[in-house]
Amino acid sequence: MDAPLHEWNLAPKEAIALQALLAKRLETVDRIEPVQHIAGVDIGFEAGGEITRAAVVVLKWQPEAMQPLALVEQVVHRKPTRIPYIPGLLSFREIPAALEAFAKLTITPQLVMVDGQGIAHPRRLGVAAHLGLWLNLPTIGIAKSRLTGLHGKVGNTRGDWVPLTSGNDVIGAVLRSRANVKPVFVSPGHRLTLETSLDWVVRCLGRTKLPEPTRLADRLASRRDQK
DNA sequence: GCGACAG
DNA sequence: ATCTTGTCGC
């Protein structure tokens, strides 16, 4: 990569231009190694937003076991927040802390699930897509609400989904991950198709709304007694 | 000009 | 995201 990826304090105008450039580097086909470990990422804020907190969990994928996902590593990393939240520019605020958290891991996952959008973004570079480029790993965005795109009604059966579109493009899916609960917005980030992304999200679902990787990362982040 | 707007 | 208790429902 030779574009100024190291810039996390760009003015909004420059950040927006960089997103458009980086989006062209995303790989939209499956390029994923045999999955042995899956990471889940969740970023939150403390002290009125002054501190950014990144929580990363690594789960072992063992499809033949009764419990196919087992927690094997977890990291919580904090660092001062540099820029405010601006819709569409979330990755510039969250990724610095996420990268430092990943640097602390002893295991390198083959797949990463992120709390936020993948390509379901105005310039096709949500936080999951942006992070995928940095890590050079397949990523999937799982967001709890919509940022952009249009969609029809989703069935109420677990696994039902409808496409999330932008003009003639399908940029993601609205997935009913659990009956009677608001659906989640799934979109590929880097090195995966939407179909493969949905497969993995569904495979990682327990009886909860969020797939295990991001659910456990969320839970880890909210625990008040981590070191 | 008027809304919408991931976390 | 975060500030925050109890409470309704499967």
Side-chain angles (χ1 to χ4, degrees):
Chain A
M1 301 222 170
D2 35 78
L5 279 180
H6 56 291
E7 299 288 345
W8 296 111
N9 50 3
L10 297 173
K13 186 175 180 178
E14 279 81 39
I16 287 171
L18 178 57
Q19 289 182 320
L21 282 178
L22 294 179
K24 297 177 184 173
R25 300 186 180 193
L26 291 173
E27 293 179 30
T28 59
V29 297
D30 293 323
R31 182 160 78 82
I32 181 170
E33 301 300 314
V35 175
Q36 299 185 335
H37 293 95
I38 302 174
V41 184
D42 177 70
I43 286 81
F45 299 88
E46 303 174 352
E50 297 295 304
I51 300 297
T52 301
R53 170 193 3 82
V56 180
V57 296
V58 177
L59 308 184
K60 183 173 186 177
W61 173 246
Q62 32 196 13
E64 61 293 321
M66 285 188 65
Q67 169 56 74
L69 290 165
L71 180 64
V72 293
E73 186 169 21
Q74 56 181 45
V75 167
V76 174
H77 179 75
R78 293 177 172 77
K79 78 172 316 209
T81 304
R82 293 188 180 184
I83 68 173
Y85 168 66
I86 300 172
L89 299 181
L90 181 65
S91 63
F92 292 89
R93 175 169 162 90
E94 298 192 339
I95 288 184
L99 291 176
E100 291 180 12
F102 264 87
K104 290 182 174 177
L105 294 178
T106 64
I107 300 172
T108 299
Q110 288 73 44
L111 173 63
V112 181
M113 305 202 346
V114 185
D115 189 344
Q117 312 291 349
I119 63 170
H121 175 280
R123 290 165 296 282
R124 307 294 176 264
L125 196 82
V127 60
H130 200 163
L131 184 60
L133 286 175
W134 265 93
L135 298 174
N136 187 26
L137 287 175
T139 53
I140 301 171
I142 298 99
K144 296 181 290 296
S145 63
R146 184 195 71 94
L147 170 61
T148 191
L150 303 173
H151 64 86
K153 294 179 180 176
V154 199
N156 191 30
T157 300
R158 199 180 95 129
D160 285 349
W161 65 274
V162 293
L164 179 65
T165 64
S166 176
N168 296 311
D169 301 325
V170 174
I171 58 178
V174 183
L175 171 71
R176 186 73 69 180
S177 52
R178 175 175 179 171
N180 305 313
V181 171
K182 283 183 37 171
V184 293
F185 295 74
V186 176
S187 60
H190 190 37
R191 294 171 53 174
L192 290 175
T193 61
L194 173 59
E195 292 66 34
T196 303
S197 299
L198 280 169
D199 280 348
W200 277 108
V201 170
V202 170
R203 269 184 287 205
C204 291
L205 282 177
R207 299 185 300 282
T208 52
K209 166 177 175 169
L210 295 177
E212 287 300 278
T214 52
R215 185 183 74 81
L216 293 178
D218 263 316
R219 192 162 73 53
L220 171 62
S222 63
R223 290 196 49 171
R224 193 199 161 293
D225 57 312
Q226 346 103 340
K227 261 305 179 146

